[in-house]
Amino acid sequence: MPPFLRNGPRVALTVTLLATVSSACTIGSPDDSTAAAGYPSRGLSILAPGSVGGGWDARARGIGAALTDCEIIDKEVTVTNKPGAGGAIGLARMVGRGGDPYQLMTMDTVTMSGGAVQNDSPVRLSSLTPIAGLTISPSAIVVPVNSPFRDLKSVLAAMKRNPKGMSWVGGSLGGPDHITVASLAKAENIPTGEITYVPTGGGGEVLNLLLSGASKAGMSTLTEIRPQIEAGKLRVLAISGKESPKGMDAPTLTQLGYGEASVESIGGVMAPPGLSDDEQQAVVRMVDRMRRTSCWKQTLDQNDWKAVWLPGDTFGAVIDRQQKQVTQVLKEVGLTS
């Protein structure tokens, strides 16, 4: 069992495994078991609910390539993109494809949950059928290399003196970066409603705002900003999680005493609602075979992703828990009522 599942629910966004079973799956017709036994008998479609080049897109294309290039299936895999509203638009599209095990979607537990809550979406991740949690993407807290801030302690001290003046830049509102910054403020008794956080679409915008001086500290997935770190443009002050990724000489938030503020959003795969148990398990088995391939391991390395395995309803239980935690944190930072 991954270490993050062994920790109790001490603060927001700590992953907790519940004994409940996701209600996304329903019992199908008597023919479902026969159809599932030959799965997949035709091509698959994987929906990435974000733009080309983003994390959801990279996961979708990595899964598709592993399934075909490493010969897990002999059917075509098509990847389509439907960005917008923090993934809520793609989520709604998947709900409309109920009962079809050939329609899959990549996602992550925190960003998509936050997008659904903020956009007041009538559907949530728990509306879908959980297939598997596959990855954790470490994030880095960074400053420009010429910044006077040499460590996270000095950044938080400056934020405590002047919360509005200590501008942060990161990913979407209500996403893992934003929630981590808000949780760090809360740990230092800084009113979360007073912090200045500038949301962006990802690594390139984070770099531009930091180098221009518009923001003083930033946070982004390591995948997106590692090139700027290695080029000497950014200094890493801390890494999310418990262990620093390979090649990163920086302390983790856990090592610095802020483990409770560290957000671990889990990336994975979902299917539409209404799949039978047999259909759900057929998709889970296919993804299980895929994750063991050298093709998928190469994708993990290329994206600085840590591998996890949370199959089926185990993943559904984690999603249920994180949705509640995300909603609570967004209320605390004033993004929802």
Side-chain angles (χ1 to χ4, degrees):
M1 181 177 291
F4 64 84
L5 287 178
R6 295 198 293 265
N7 295 330
R10 295 179 296 178
V11 293
L13 275 284
T14 298
V15 180
T16 305
L17 178 60
L18 302 181
T20 59
V21 176
S22 171
S23 61
C25 300
T26 59
I27 302 301
S29 69
D31 294 333
D32 285 338
S33 60
T34 302
Y39 182 88
S41 60
R42 55 184 170 88
L44 301 174
S45 177
I46 303 179
L47 175 66
S51 301
V52 174
W56 292 331
D57 178 71
R59 190 171 295 110
R61 296 181 191 279
I63 291 171
L67 286 171
T68 56
D69 294 352
C70 278
E71 300 181 345
I72 297 302
I73 65 174
D74 60 0
K75 309 300 179 184
E76 182 181 10
V77 178
T78 302
V79 174
T80 58
N81 297 80
K82 193 66 177 177
I89 293 176
L91 175 59
R93 172 171 285 197
M94 283 299 289
V95 170
R97 295 174 173 175
D100 187 352
Y102 290 86
Q103 303 288 331
L104 305 177
M105 183 185 77
T106 52
M107 41 64 76
D108 78 88
T109 55
V110 176
T111 305
M112 184 162 280
S113 292
V117 171
Q118 288 186 80
N119 289 282
D120 197 25
S121 173
V123 295
R124 298 285 190 267
L125 269 175
S126 54
S127 304
L128 303 181
T129 301
I131 299 302
L134 293 169
T135 63
I136 292 176
S137 305
S139 294
I141 294 176
V142 294
V143 295
V145 71
N146 60 356
S147 169
F149 300 112
R150 310 294 299 184
D151 52 35
L152 181 61
K153 182 179 179 181
S154 61
V155 169
L156 295 179
M159 185 164 67
K160 194 162 190 174
R161 290 192 299 270
N162 184 6
K164 293 186 181 297
M166 186 63 202
S167 174
W168 287 78
V169 60
S172 61
L173 286 174
D177 300 340
H178 187 196
I179 292 175
T180 296
V181 172
S183 297
L184 286 170
K186 188 176 180 180
E188 293 294 319
N189 296 315
I190 302 168
T192 55
E194 294 184 10
I195 63 176
T196 299
Y197 182 87
V198 180
T200 72
E205 294 177 75
V206 169
L207 176 67
N208 291 337
L209 287 172
L210 287 173
L211 296 185
S212 69
S215 293
K216 294 183 173 138
M219 192 165 186
S220 185
T221 60
L222 190 55
T223 303
E224 293 181 307
I225 58 172
R226 185 188 276 271
Q228 288 78 37
I229 295 169
E230 293 177 345
K233 295 180 179 180
L234 297 176
R235 178 188 305 131
V236 183
L237 304 184
I239 301 287
S240 65
K242 298 178 178 62
E243 298 178 0
S244 291
K246 183 179 179 180
M248 284 291 108
D249 183 20
T252 66
L253 287 174
T254 298
Q255 291 168 342
L256 293 173
Y258 295 101
E260 295 182 349
S262 186
V263 177
E264 291 188 319
S265 186
I266 304 167
V269 182
M270 304 292 282
L275 268 63
S276 70
D277 290 341
D278 287 334
E279 289 171 330
Q280 180 194 29
Q281 290 309 309
V283 185
V284 170
R285 286 193 296 270
M286 179 189 70
V287 174
D288 189 14
R289 292 175 61 204
M290 181 282 302
R291 75 180 179 97
R292 300 171 188 270
T293 64
S294 60
C295 300
W296 180 245
K297 290 175 182 177
Q298 182 178 5
T299 297
L300 293 173
D301 292 340
Q302 290 172 342
N303 291 279
D304 284 309
W305 290 337
K306 176 184 175 183
V308 296
W309 179 238
L310 302 171
D313 293 332
T314 299
F315 191 35
V318 171
I319 290 170
D320 288 343
R321 178 63 183 180
Q322 285 204 336
Q323 283 185 149
K324 294 174 183 176
Q325 293 172 323
V326 167
T327 300
Q328 178 182 347
V329 172
L330 291 181
K331 287 181 179 179
E332 291 177 355
V333 300
L335 290 178
T336 59
S337 58

